[in-house]
Amino acid sequence: DIQLTQSPSFLSASVGDRVTITCRASQGISSHLAWYQQKPGKAPKLLIYAASTLQSGVPSRFSGSGSGTEFTLTISSLQPEDFATYYCQQLNSYPQTFGQGTKVEIK
Amino acid sequence: DVQLVESGGGLVQSGGSLRLSCAASGFTFKSYWMTWVRQAPGKGLEWVANIKEDGSEKYYVDSVKGRFTISRDNAKNSLYLQMNSLRAEDTAVYYCARDRYYKPDYWGQGTLVTVSS
């Protein structure tokens, strides 16, 4: 199975900060990676697919990059509504897998 | 509007069975792969299974193989997950999601399954 390791697992940041989350795959997954935002008690929300394509309706402060084994999600200027947990998911091979999550909290 | 509504969750004893349903509306159901993802209380997301548009291909995570069966009825715009031999570690919120071209873009609100030991 392909393991996805997110770093950091937790980060504390302020409104307006630039935030970067990394997702490393244990083997190459091409660009078959998605990023999600999840708030407590809610379903995950797709932010980025195909590693770098912004999902319709998602603010442009979110961006994704990478291919192969290393990927990043960047929030260019953190907003109050962005405090949540973020997950990456590989869709390249079965079983599909998720990273362990990165919780973004208010500093 | 696209809608996915899960149902069928509840409390069941260890070793028991449950059948989850996901009712789809607002899109051409038969044109999408469909997926089940679960989340244990306070834990991360775990992909469980998915099924091809016509039901001809199905994939499972190892921990549910032989116990869970994913199926769909395109005439009823519905996705199912038959869960047998349930264990305490299957306790989770179960989400259904649609997927096309590596893009799981809509998810349901989830249904809670609690397995008591």
Side-chain angles (χ1 to χ4, degrees):
Chain A
D1 298 1
I2 295 175
Q3 311 300 319
L4 295 182
T5 303
Q6 289 182 231
S7 59
S9 295
F10 173 87
L11 75 86
S12 182
S14 301
V15 172
D17 284 353
R18 181 182 181 87
V19 167
T20 299
I21 300 169
T22 298
C23 178
R24 288 188 174 87
S26 59
Q27 55 188 275
I29 58 171
S30 185
S31 295
H32 299 144
L33 187 104
W35 288 99
Y36 300 90
Q37 176 192 70
Q38 188 180 33
K39 296 182 178 179
K42 299 293 188 183
K45 173 187 174 183
L46 179 67
L47 299 175
I48 301 284
Y49 63 96
S52 60
T53 304
L54 192 68
Q55 169 66 355
S56 176
V58 173
S60 59
R61 63 181 179 272
F62 292 92
S63 63
S65 65
S67 67
T69 61
E70 187 149 339
F71 302 85
T72 59
L73 172 71
T74 299
I75 309 172
S76 60
S77 178
L78 200 63
Q79 298 302 300
E81 60 268 31
D82 300 336
F83 292 96
T85 300
Y86 294 84
Y87 294 93
C88 55
Q89 179 197 14
Q90 68 83 14
L91 300 96
N92 188 71
S93 63
Y94 291 109
Q96 295 181 11
T97 48
F98 288 88
Q100 82 278 14
T102 296
K103 188 172 184 179
V104 178
E105 290 200 341
I106 302 172
K107 196 172 197 176
Chain B
D1 284 5
V2 173
Q3 277 205 313
L4 295 168
V5 180
E6 302 93 338
S7 61
L11 177 63
V12 61
Q13 285 194 330
S14 180
S17 298
L18 217 51
R19 188 196 197 205
L20 304 184
S21 299
C22 171
S25 60
F27 66 100
T28 306
F29 181 73
K30 65 182 180 181
S31 298
Y32 286 79
W33 284 70
M34 295 297 296
T35 297
W36 287 101
V37 171
R38 68 185 178 182
Q39 187 169 36
K43 302 297 184 182
L45 301 169
E46 181 182 32
W47 181 88
V48 174
N50 72 354
I51 184 168
K52 195 175 178 179
E53 296 97 327
D54 61 0
S56 62
E57 294 181 34
K58 304 174 185 182
Y59 300 91
Y60 300 90
V61 68
D62 281 352
S63 59
V64 309
K65 279 180 185 174
R67 300 189 300 123
F68 290 12
T69 302
I70 189 172
S71 63
R72 64 192 297 161
D73 185 335
N74 287 344
K76 294 184 178 179
N77 291 337
S78 292
L79 173 72
Y80 306 102
L81 187 67
Q82 177 66 44
M83 303 187 296
N84 298 331
S85 302
L86 282 161
R87 306 166 180 168
E89 54 265 36
D90 296 319
T91 294
V93 174
Y94 285 74
Y95 298 100
C96 65
R98 76 172 194 179
D99 184 3
R100 196 175 187 189
Y101 306 132
Y102 306 100
K103 182 184 172 186
D105 57 353
Y106 279 91
W107 295 53
Q109 83 291 346
T111 187
L112 176 62
V113 172
T114 303
V115 183
S116 66
S117 51

